[in-house]
Amino acid sequence: MSAVALEKYRFPSKEDYSGAVTAIIRLQDAYKISPRNLTQSILGERQAIKVTTRICFEIGREAYYLENYWHTKEWMLECLRKMDEENDYEDVSLPEIYDFLAFSEYKVGNLRKAMQYTKDILQSDPTHERALSNFNFFSKQMKEDPEAFNRVVTEQTRNVYPETLGYEELCREAKPIPKENHHKMVCFYFTHKNNPRLILRPIKVEVAHLKPRIWIFKKFLSETEMARLRELAVPKLKRATARNWKTGEFEPADYRISKRYRQ
């Protein structure tokens, strides 16, 4: 136990877990990445880790706890796809998936789908307590608002600032760089006014964007150097905080999930 206590900082906490899922969801929103893109590594040249049905389920469930019902739905649907196409049933049951799908579809505005998933649960388990409760609730909703049963929501509704949408558009380069500026997108060696250290080992720079100016520094650190920095920093990393404008105190915030080094 003493060894575990000494190394506990290496194990993720519940806060780390929730923050990781939030980060995945933010990347999906910013770059318009579907769960299938992530599970099948359709992101670039580097091969990503295998994403199992169980991992998809865990991400979807955490998104549910974060009240992000659109992404709950998307990840649970990916679970169904992997079960159907890849025959991957890793310790996940269909009723569990249908349960999350039913309520998530209801929350995003698809009452018909919510009712169908609920019926699917009851077909395999007529005594399923939550499904029975949802069935009665959805039936009542249909009577109160008949048009809701035929309403179909196919796009995510996000309550974000216009600046956020602009930032995300910039991240994914939704607007291509004009041809007349292509000659300015160059790579070069940076020596910072002929700094002696950088003359022997200049920094490799790629101009990624002109306005705002974005430079990418290539091979700035070696894999060994990065591993050593992580080794030194991880034990002292604490969740970053933001100032509460009402109280003036620094506290954790949902929109800030990074960690920072603290003495």
Side-chain angles (χ1 to χ4, degrees):
M1 286 299 293
S2 59
V4 172
L6 289 172
E7 298 293 325
K8 66 179 181 180
Y9 67 85
R10 296 184 182 273
F11 296 94
S13 64
K14 180 66 174 67
E15 190 177 72
D16 294 327
Y17 190 79
S18 178
V21 172
T22 302
I24 290 172
I25 290 173
R26 286 186 182 176
L27 287 172
Q28 285 185 260
D29 287 337
Y31 294 97
K32 296 189 181 297
I33 303 172
S34 70
R36 185 166 185 171
N37 289 143
L38 292 172
T39 61
Q40 297 195 330
S41 305
I42 312 174
L43 294 174
E45 298 178 357
R46 295 185 64 177
Q47 181 66 33
I49 63 169
K50 180 182 178 182
V51 181
T52 63
T53 299
R54 184 68 203 182
I55 293 176
C56 292
F57 180 80
E58 293 291 345
I59 294 174
R61 182 168 62 177
E62 189 62 29
Y64 177 86
Y65 294 146
L66 294 169
E67 299 183 0
N68 192 317
Y69 301 110
W70 182 268
H71 285 287
T72 300
K73 174 178 77 79
E74 293 289 287
W75 281 99
M76 291 303 170
L77 287 174
E78 180 62 15
C79 287
L80 295 181
R81 186 198 67 79
K82 290 180 71 66
M83 285 180 164
D84 183 48
E85 297 181 11
E86 302 176 18
N87 202 30
D88 181 0
Y89 288 84
E90 187 196 13
D91 194 29
V92 180
S93 70
L94 279 173
E96 283 183 296
I97 297 174
Y98 287 151
D99 193 19
F100 281 105
L101 275 171
F103 194 72
S104 298
E105 289 286 14
Y106 165 72
K107 292 297 287 186
V108 302
N110 291 323
L111 183 56
R112 180 190 289 271
K113 287 186 177 180
M115 179 61 88
Q116 184 57 56
Y117 286 126
T118 303
K119 290 179 179 179
D120 289 339
I121 299 173
L122 293 174
Q123 187 174 359
S124 61
D125 182 6
T127 63
H128 195 286
E129 187 175 335
R130 181 176 164 92
L132 287 170
S133 175
N134 283 344
F135 182 84
N136 293 330
F137 176 73
F138 296 152
S139 298
K140 182 180 178 182
Q141 293 293 306
M142 289 164 51
K143 290 179 181 179
E144 294 177 353
D145 185 6
E147 294 183 2
F149 189 69
N150 296 316
R151 192 177 300 131
V152 178
V153 178
T154 59
E155 293 186 5
Q156 180 185 10
T157 300
R158 299 174 60 203
N159 184 23
V160 297
Y161 293 110
E163 292 83 357
T164 300
L165 298 177
Y167 161 77
E168 292 175 351
E169 187 177 60
L170 179 63
C171 286
R172 59 178 179 269
E173 294 186 325
K175 294 181 180 179
I177 297 171
K179 287 185 178 180
E180 58 267 24
N181 288 333
H182 282 190
H183 70 283
K184 299 178 182 178
M185 313 305 294
V186 298
C187 295
F188 61 92
Y189 289 112
F190 180 69
T191 61
H192 191 52
K193 299 179 180 179
N194 293 324
N195 183 299
R197 294 182 180 179
L198 294 179
I199 290 177
L200 295 175
R201 189 184 177 185
I203 300 173
K204 299 176 181 178
V205 180
E206 176 188 345
V207 178
H209 206 275
L210 299 175
K211 188 177 181 181
R213 182 184 299 176
I214 300 175
W215 288 3
I216 300 175
F217 294 91
K218 303 281 189 174
K219 297 182 179 180
F220 184 72
L221 294 173
S222 68
E223 293 289 340
T224 302
E225 290 170 326
M226 289 188 284
R228 179 56 177 163
L229 285 174
R230 285 194 295 268
E231 182 182 350
L232 294 172
V234 166
K236 296 185 178 181
L237 288 179
K238 302 294 182 182
R239 180 171 177 179
T241 56
R243 186 186 292 275
N244 185 316
W245 66 275
K246 290 183 178 179
T247 65
E249 299 294 327
F250 285 94
E251 57 189 40
D254 292 339
Y255 57 83
R256 193 172 188 188
I257 57 174
S258 60
K259 289 189 173 184
R260 61 190 293 261
Y261 179 87
R262 293 184 182 177
Q263 292 283 354

